[in-house]
Amino acid sequence: MTRIDTLLAEMTLAEKLGQLTMTASGYAVTGPIIVGDSSESIADGTLGNLLNMVGPGPTREMQDLAKQSRLGIPLLIGLDIVHGHRSLFPIPLAEMAAFDPALWEQTAREAAREAAADGLAMTFAPMLDVSRDPRWGRTAEGPGEDAWLGARMAETKVRGFQTADLSSPDALAACAKHFCAYGPVNAGREYAAVDISERTLHEVHLPPFEAAVKAGVATIMPAFTDLNGIPMTAHGPLLRDYLRGQLGFDGVIVSDYNAIGELIKHGVAEDLPAAAALALQAGVDIDMMADGYRKGLPVALERGLVTMAQIDTAVRRVLRLKEQLGLFDDAYARGATQERPEAIAGRRALARTVATRSITMLKNESQALPLAPSLRRLCVLGPLADAAEEMRGPWWAAGVAENHVSVLAGLSAGLPGVEIHYASGVGIRDDDANGITAALELSEGADAILLCLGEAANMSGEAASRAYPELPGQQRALAMAAFEQGRELGIPVIVLLFSGRPLIIPELAEQADALLACWFLGCEAGHAIADVLSGRVSPSGRTPMSWPRALGQVPIFFGQRPTGRPENPADYYTSKYLDVPNDPLYPFGHGLSYTQFAHHDLRVSPLVAGEHDHIEVQIEVTNYGEHEAIETLFLFTRDKVASVTRPLLELRAFGKLSLPAGESGTLNLSFPASAMRFLGADLKPVFEPGEIEILIGPSADRAQLMVQSIQLQA
Ligand code: GLC
């Protein structure tokens, strides 16, 4: 008999259901707070999992309580460590702009180390929801608009959080969330129903989760949402049949917060027992915060809606996860050793590097940037300049404002000898514009105006959909006044834009001399911004989402399917808007540096490829500017004729080259020809012979892509 078999044989129903329950908790001066529950539940073995308890002391105290219980089963304690724990990195959408899988894995690894030192064994990350709608606030947490990129995020984050040995004291169980297709909520409204085609489900929203399962993710969290009429928390075909049956996922499925109870509001369950039965039958193992399993399953058993065998299967998976994490061997290993100061310092250095690499320069005209070495006086305006707490982004885990560097603090430290005159001018979202005039007076005698504009951290993330995803409050008025002042004084106006999504910002795009998407950059935000503005580091970030010109273009993304009437200005009856061009303001992959690159001599081999070949691509890159910088190039394919319509562009690979001024280098990219398999009319994978275009360039702007055709043969 294994340890788990022995335990299972001894466990009462209440103890079994305790292992299937996860309760939110916290630690106040008065001691532990277990939301709607009690620490007695831990001591009597009827609560087996916690979220949001942080710190070696509190977690040790909770593990002590569990150890005193009849069977002494250790607690699983988790937290939303989405982009760092105490030392926050840029939000995931920002980090994707670095287009650097090694960095993505490294930040997850460092976050896991820091969280494990705080006694945690699980994170509710990576969030893998592909989003093409900036109205949806959770766009901030995810991989952006592309499924292939989402899959790369999945595998790097799972490896980073979990390592190859989940029992390691600095490993965390990762949680691929929110399964699945949460991004296309109706009208971009949070928690709204989702209605998409089976094809879009399989081509866009499942691949990142498939990659997470292949990477060995320990847990998965279903989305709150209703997908095509079935709430994900009760979605047997996708949880049981696809995840567990087809992909062979045998880890733990943990519900989202109260999602089991919400099946009643979805209208698929009369009461809690019915809701609990639906979730258990679909394959959900842990009930987070609905108390549906503890209160509902005993009744569901009596009603014959579920069997003890189904309960045992779920308990077995939870106990196995705790065993894989090493919790039975030593529940105190995580949190046992304090981190050394140099480890924390190294982590912040990494955060600074990742932040500089995430900054995406969308515009830079008349050499506004880098700041001239002769610059002596800088006028800094806007509500995001002195806002350390906002740099954290919407999921700040244990990150506190005190250890975040604001823009102002970063500029003061990073621009020695420069006089900085600052005024907020306006708030982030209030309607008071009375401070604009006085603020602008600070620009007299200045060499440049720096505007720090955008959203508050909690204006993106969960429950933060925006029908007008643009500059909030009176910030636009401040910007327009600053542009006018800049023109009058003949000085550049540089905009730093902080947001958890692309914003609709036509005036900034038109009138700013330079415009940088700073997203939310984490604990080293200010230092990273100063590194870039000063020219010490050239910006290299590339946007992982298309930026709409107008909200009316949404959803806008590079992987759109063709139309039978492609836009043609010479023909009125073609696909267009009367009032805005079809293309995005900034395409996927767009991002400027302080230099200029030329791309030439594209070579592709083989020119005729079978399914088992690898397509190798080489291209020469020359830095013909004055600054060292990193170039990122994307490799897309276009399958022009197939048995179903195929996207206009599909991302297959990307690569980077760091080149000093004047230097050239060769970028090698490759992808398996088997990647050209697609879902035929019956949604079954097919590999079809025919011409394929290979397209290479700095963004999804087709006009910037070099093209070479090859032939696929059966
Ligand atoms: C939240 C989120 C989910 C998070 C969970 C625990 O509602 O939807 O992403 O992991 O609850 O905080």
Side-chain angles (χ1 to χ4, degrees), residues 51 80 124 138 177-178 221 224 256-257 288 395 462:
L51 71 144
D80 290 281
F124 305 113
R138 303 201 79 164
K177 73 183 187 183
H178 306 80
M221 179 187 289
F224 285 119
D256 205 334
Y257 201 106
M288 181 194 287
W395 281 102
E462 186 174 357

Side-chain angles (χ1 to χ4, degrees), residues 285-319:
D285 301 305
I286 292 182
D287 164 12
M288 181 194 287
M289 279 308 287
D291 224 2
Y293 280 5
R294 280 192 307 190
K295 293 195 178 117
L297 285 183
V299 176
L301 272 170
E302 283 161 19
R303 292 181 190 169
L305 297 175
V306 296
T307 65
M308 186 59 81
Q310 287 171 317
I311 291 173
D312 289 353
T313 300
V315 175
R316 187 179 293 279
R317 283 197 278 255
V318 175
L319 295 179

Side-chain angles (χ1 to χ4, degrees), residues 65-124:
L65 281 176
K67 201 178 176 88
Q68 292 157 23
S69 67
R70 190 174 74 87
L71 296 171
I73 298 172
L75 288 169
L76 173 63
I77 305 177
L79 179 71
D80 290 281
I81 298 149
V82 179
H83 53 100
H85 178 57
R86 292 185 188 278
S87 314
L88 293 181
F89 298 105
I91 59 170
L93 189 66
E95 200 185 37
M96 295 310 286
F99 282 93
D100 189 327
L103 278 188
W104 298 339
E105 181 169 342
Q106 215 182 339
T107 57
R109 185 80 301 271
E110 281 305 313
R113 285 199 175 105
E114 196 167 61
D118 255 347
L120 293 156
M122 176 180 185
T123 176
F124 305 113

